[in-house]
Amino acid sequence: MRYLLALAGNQNSGKTTLFNRLTGSNQHVGNFPGVTVEKKEGPIKNHKDAVLVDLPGIYSLSPYTSEEVVTRDFILQENPRVIINIVDATNIERNLYLTLQLMELQIPMVIALNMMDEVRASGNSINVARLSEHLGIPIVPISAAKNEGITELINVVISQAESPKALPRLDFCTGEVHKAIHSIAHIIEDQARSAGYPLRFAATKVVEGDEPTMESLRLTENQLDIIGHVTDEMEEKLGTDREAALADMRYSYIERICADCVKKHRETNEQVRSEKIDRVLTHRIFAIPIFFGIMLLIFWLTFDVIGGRLQGLLESGIDFVTGLLGGWLAEVGVSGWMTSLLINGVCAGVGSVLSFLPIIVLLFFFLSLLEDSGYMARVAFVMDKLLRKLGLSGRSFVPMLIGFGCSVPAIMSTRTLSSNRDRKMTIVLTPFMSCSAKLPIYGMITAAFFPRHGALVMISLYILGIVTAILSALLLKGTVFKGNPVPFVMELPAYRIPSAKSVLLHMWEKAKDFLKRAFTIIFLASIVIWFLQSFDWRFNLVSDSGTSILASLGSVIAPIFAPLGFSDWRASTALITGITAKETVVSTLTVLTGAAGEAQLSMALNTIFTPLSAISFLVFTILYMPCVAAFAATRREMESTRDAIFTALFQTGAAYVVALLVYQIGRLFI
Ligand code: GDP
Ligand code: MG
């Protein structure tokens, strides 16, 4: 019989690392709070019936963030047989806060006390047996990263699942809160049962005044009245409000048991080291210049020193293969249109995009270094003050940084933002951060028009994206998204040396994604585009693509872009196909111009654009609505088709306005 095990714990406590150990899978591990945004599941190694679910990292069971809601709903509705609560032993007090709440759910639990390697190395110790006795829960000390204690943990978990020996103890509270919880438990007993809530959990939530729980309990007027009296009395006697009263109770209990079980002479080596590093990297004055320095270094290495060179190599490789194929097709005597489809359609289209693989992989390499080392969390912290001026919080910075790689994971990572307003606003702005799929477009245009100022144009485009985001934020803050961002709360994880495995895995995943796109969407798009531009409406092969089906379709929308300086039907067609995936802009233009190789493409582009309209085209491409995948992510995260469409329209509108300004103002000078 299949049964579920839930893995729950604070953010950055090592959940994913443990999940990978327990299931033998390869999920992405990151030293950044909130990396795991979707729940993942897999069977425990050698115990195929036990399915482990990796839940998002949370600090409490109060539904402040959507992850807390996910976790709570999962545990209440799916009824896992055992909860594995992973506790970061280097931050044990804060981690146990969640433990106490999980205990109220009255589901058999096992604590995996993680990071014991760090505790040991710093000469601290934890009396595990004693702690287990206090909580009434089996505890297994482990180190997920070092693969210690995993077998032991599996054994304990499986034996709990097969015959639970103990349910967590409950009565750790005393005094007024204790009285309130107990009297309310009596009052709501029946409703808690019919709503399917563990009684103790329901009672605590009612004392806390937790809205969703109160609603689903369907309490009567009368009951609400009595509950009001009980909590009022509690608040009065304690002199604090209800939420604080419960938090106090939990923390004082945690303090008491930790005093008994935890010997902490000093902070762990990692914590000491992190403090030293932070004195520099989060320095009041130097922090921001250092960050920009690091980003510049990354871009320089990616686009120029390493990535640029690798790209050149790959390009010649692709040209060589195309040449070989062309020669062979001619030799065999394949018909003209088939040769054209393969060479001018497929090879040109896919090839023009494929050469960007090294740059994209490299960009993700650096982004994952930033994330895994723990630096990304600092950046969020440092940027908080600046972003607050724009109506956002430091938390929003991370999705934006990830957005330089790809908008899809960036938009998904907004799930870690606790307020709906902050989340939606971040989703609207993130796609302005130029994603890696747009790089081929910049590459193509700069090669054709500004071969000697490539770097300058690229950097200006990135900056333009950021400036547009800033201006949009200012605009939205005063209109659609009134209100204030939530205060910044994010724990700064200890700096850790990123594991080579994790980084390589991340790069490989991105490379795979990119290759998959090149050989599916872009491959298909290249063929379709070739077809539409090779035939007219009566399906005659045309010699001049200006009379093709595509030309007549493209000409319908082309006039819209005339004020931006490019009214050629090929440009507007490329923009439309670019919505499937941004790289398609390049493959489309390559196919449409029938260019073989970069030199020919550059010449052809010079007939479509002037240098100024080429810039206006670039401006439009970086800002207009992101690809369908990002649009789908937007819709999913905003949970509203209307809002997603608004977002796409807003982005496209902004693109139009900025490109129009660039072109019209530019014309005054040129
Ligand atoms: P999650 O956010 O809870 O899923 O945590 P992750 O599994 O992504 O891990 C967060 C960070 O802690 C990563 O940098 C891991 O390499 C590191 N880590 C996880 N477990 C251990 C451990 O037992 N010892 C040490 N020293 N580091 C660990
Ligand atoms: Mg994780």
Side-chain angles (χ1 to χ4, degrees):
M1 275 300 283
R2 226 179 79 111
Y3 57 88
L4 288 179
L5 306 172
L7 181 57
N10 284 190
Q11 288 177 354
N12 231 38
S13 56
K15 260 185 312 85
T16 305
T17 314
L18 179 61
F19 179 85
N20 288 344
R21 291 281 181 217
L22 292 174
T23 61
S25 65
N26 275 324
Q27 298 293 351
H28 176 58
V29 173
N31 189 17
F32 176 76
V35 165
T36 309
V37 283
E38 275 189 300
K39 62 178 207 276
K40 299 179 178 109
E41 55 172 66
I44 302 264
K45 263 192 274 185
N46 305 328
H47 295 272
K48 288 279 164 287
D49 318 330
V51 176
L52 182 66
V53 181
D54 182 16
L55 296 168
I58 50 169
Y59 295 108
S60 86
L61 286 182
S62 319
Y64 294 128
T65 66
S66 55
E67 294 142 305
E68 287 169 355
V69 177
V70 168
T71 304
R72 181 168 147 158
D73 286 353
F74 177 84
I75 296 177
L76 288 174
Q77 285 158 19
E78 307 285 323
N79 252 317
R81 195 159 315 166
V82 178
I83 298 176
I84 304 173
N85 173 213
I86 180 164
V87 166
D88 173 358
T90 62
N91 279 312
I92 190 161
E93 286 92 351
R94 204 204 45 231
N95 277 246
L96 286 177
Y97 190 73
L98 176 67
T99 308
L100 293 191
Q101 297 184 54
L102 290 171
M103 281 159 61
E104 286 168 356
L105 297 170
Q106 284 290 283
I107 291 174
M109 249 167 86
V110 175
I111 291 180
L113 195 59
N114 194 29
M115 314 253 183
M116 284 305 279
D117 56 317
E118 291 188 4
V119 171
R120 229 179 306 123
S122 52
N124 298 335
S125 68
I126 295 173
N127 187 337
V128 175
R130 189 87 140 258
L131 187 62
S132 164
E133 218 169 276
H134 278 295
L135 296 170
I137 306 174
I139 302 182
V140 185
I142 64 165
S143 165
K146 302 237 150 76
N147 205 4
E148 291 168 10
I150 305 297
T151 323
E152 168 73 4
L153 177 64
I154 294 183
N155 290 341
V156 174
V157 170
I158 297 292
S159 83
Q160 276 287 311
E162 281 165 2
S163 54
K165 280 172 208 64
L167 277 180
R169 64 168 282 189
L170 281 179
D171 264 327
F172 44 79
C173 55
T174 49
E176 293 306 319
V177 183
H178 174 89
K179 271 194 240 161
I181 292 178
H182 280 268
S183 38
I184 288 179
H186 284 303
I187 301 171
I188 63 168
E189 201 168 342
D190 294 338
Q191 274 116 325
R193 193 171 313 124
S194 47
Y197 285 133
L199 180 57
R200 169 67 185 224
F201 171 77
T204 316
K205 287 293 143 192
V206 170
V207 173
E208 232 169 17
D210 176 282
E211 304 259 337
T213 316
M214 303 272 275
E215 262 165 44
S216 44
L217 283 175
R218 290 170 214 265
L219 300 169
T220 62
E221 262 329 289
N222 212 349
Q223 286 173 317
L224 285 172
D225 229 33
I226 307 177
I227 291 169
H229 284 302
V230 173
T231 49
D232 283 350
E233 194 179 319
M234 177 189 81
E235 284 182 337
E236 203 173 301
K237 286 204 174 137
L238 291 173
T240 49
D241 72 12
R242 42 216 285 199
E243 278 186 65
L246 270 168
D248 280 351
M249 171 199 86
R250 292 193 184 115
Y251 273 122
S252 58
Y253 178 70
I254 291 171
E255 246 168 53
R256 230 171 334 121
I257 56 176
C258 285
D260 189 30
C261 309
V262 180
K263 293 251 166 336
K264 189 165 179 176
H265 310 291
R266 59 187 191 87
E267 305 203 284
T268 64
N269 301 340
E270 283 73 14
Q271 284 160 344
V272 174
R273 189 180 60 194
S274 294
E275 268 164 39
K276 276 192 200 138
I277 301 177
D278 269 341
R279 247 172 262 154
V280 182
L281 292 187
T282 60
H283 186 273
R284 205 164 40 84
I285 298 162
F286 302 133
I288 292 181
I290 291 177
F291 168 67
F292 283 113
I294 292 177
M295 289 313 284
L296 269 181
L297 182 71
I298 290 179
F299 283 134
W300 179 60
L301 289 175
T302 308
F303 299 129
D304 195 22
V305 184
I306 315 177
R309 283 192 200 149
L310 289 176
Q311 187 195 12
L313 278 177
L314 198 60
E315 235 165 37
S316 4
I318 293 169
D319 283 352
F320 180 71
V321 172
T322 310
L324 278 186
L325 180 69
W328 180 76
L329 290 174
E331 208 171 286
V332 183
V334 172
S335 72
W337 69 268
M338 190 62 185
T339 308
S340 163
L341 170 63
L342 289 176
I343 301 291
N344 303 333
V346 176
C347 287
V350 175
S352 58
V353 168
L354 209 55
S355 65
F356 280 86
L357 181 67
I359 291 197
I360 285 164
V361 170
L362 221 66
L363 192 61
F364 278 106
F365 167 76
F366 287 119
L367 284 177
S368 75
L369 281 191
L370 289 187
E371 187 180 300
D372 292 3
S373 62
Y375 182 58
M376 195 105 95
R378 269 72 186 182
V379 175
F381 171 71
V382 167
M383 288 293 168
D384 187 57
K385 236 203 223 130
L386 280 179
L387 284 172
R388 229 152 253 289
K389 299 208 170 91
L390 304 177
L392 290 167
S393 84
R395 277 240 165 203
S396 305
F397 197 73
V398 174
M400 296 191 178
L401 209 53
I402 299 176
F404 285 124
C406 175
S407 302
V408 175
I411 289 168
M412 280 167 59
S413 72
T414 58
R415 222 176 278 183
T416 57
L417 298 172
S418 59
S419 104
N420 224 345
R421 172 194 167 279
D422 294 9
R423 187 159 55 228
K424 287 195 170 169
M425 194 161 159
T426 310
I427 295 177
V428 176
L429 301 177
T430 296
F432 287 139
M433 305 301 126
S434 171
C435 79
S436 61
K438 292 175 188 158
L439 285 170
I441 311 176
Y442 308 160
M444 169 183 73
I445 298 280
T446 48
F449 294 94
F450 318 101
R452 258 169 291 138
H453 305 286
L456 181 70
V457 174
M458 294 254 191
I459 292 182
S460 320
L461 286 172
Y462 275 92
I463 293 176
L464 179 81
I466 296 170
V467 171
T468 310
I470 293 176
L471 294 177
S472 307
L474 291 173
L475 176 73
L476 293 171
K477 172 176 101 153
T479 52
V480 189
F481 297 113
K482 287 221 174 77
N484 285 316
V486 291
F488 183 80
V489 260
M490 178 155 83
E491 139 212 20
L492 299 181
Y495 284 103
R496 295 204 167 86
I497 296 176
S499 93
K501 188 178 151 211
S502 160
V503 173
L504 287 177
L505 198 74
H506 199 181
M507 281 164 72
W508 165 236
E509 270 169 13
K510 296 302 165 189
K512 218 169 49 184
D513 268 3
F514 179 75
L515 288 174
K516 211 166 85 194
R517 271 216 311 277
F519 287 101
T520 52
I521 297 183
I522 292 162
F523 177 81
L524 273 177
S526 301
I527 294 179
V528 171
I529 299 290
W530 179 86
F531 250 88
L532 293 178
Q533 63 112 26
S534 299
F535 293 92
D536 64 15
W537 287 101
R538 292 190 201 83
F539 292 98
N540 298 310
L541 204 57
V542 295
S543 52
D544 169 16
S545 59
T547 56
S548 65
I549 300 179
L550 196 57
S552 68
L553 291 178
S555 334
V556 176
I557 39 168
I560 301 175
F561 296 106
L564 310 189
F566 46 93
S567 52
D568 193 290
W569 63 276
R570 288 170 289 191
S572 40
T573 309
L575 289 176
I576 301 266
T577 57
I579 296 174
T580 56
K582 288 294 143 105
E583 304 94 325
T584 326
V585 172
V586 175
S587 59
T588 302
L589 278 172
T590 312
V591 175
L592 286 184
T593 52
E598 203 182 317
Q600 276 187 29
L601 179 62
S602 293
M603 260 158 51
L605 287 174
N606 270 291
T607 65
I608 299 180
F609 301 105
T610 64
L612 180 59
S613 71
I615 291 186
S616 145
F617 180 76
L618 277 183
V619 168
F620 190 84
T621 23
I622 76 161
L623 300 177
Y624 83 123
M625 73 168 283
C627 65
V628 274
F631 179 77
T634 305
R635 218 203 55 124
R636 213 167 45 230
E637 296 307 321
M638 289 190 159
E639 289 172 357
S640 145
T641 310
R642 217 197 56 189
D643 290 356
I645 291 175
F646 162 80
T647 303
L649 288 179
F650 177 79
Q651 287 153 346
T652 311
Y656 196 88
V657 171
V658 179
L660 184 72
L661 287 176
V662 166
Y663 182 69
Q664 296 298 344
I665 293 174
R667 248 182 12 160
L668 301 179
F669 295 96
I670 297 172

